[in-house]
Amino acid sequence: SATPSTGAQPHILILEDEMVLAMHLEDLVLEIEGARATLVSRIDEAIAAAQQGAFDAAILDVNLGGRLSFPV
């Protein structure tokens, strides 16, 4: 499993399938000085990103086209 990043720059995973909302969430995260965001729109992308990257937090849309994001 991925471990949280230890740097001063928080890295946030965003899983959202509605692009306008996803971009708004990304903008909010990027308002945090030094923050980074990884934006994905599918559960499989989120799982792959979580396995490959170190995130400090995640913002997950619970319902993605009828699929629940709980596996992430």
Side-chain angles (χ1 to χ4, degrees):
S1 79
T3 57
S5 67
T6 57
Q9 299 177 322
H11 191 185
I12 312 298
L13 175 65
I14 301 171
L15 171 60
E16 174 58 61
D17 59 349
E18 292 184 33
M19 195 50 58
V20 172
L21 181 54
M23 292 186 323
H24 180 66
L25 289 169
E26 182 180 34
D27 287 344
L28 290 174
V29 166
L30 295 178
E31 287 181 9
I32 302 168
E33 186 173 338
R36 297 179 298 143
T38 296
L39 182 60
V40 295
S41 61
R42 295 189 346 241
I43 292 173
D44 59 332
E45 292 173 324
I47 290 171
Q51 291 172 339
Q52 295 173 12
F55 296 96
D56 297 294
I59 301 171
L60 306 176
D61 181 352
V62 173
N63 184 347
L64 292 128
R67 290 189 61 203
L68 298 178
S69 65
F70 298 140
V72 178

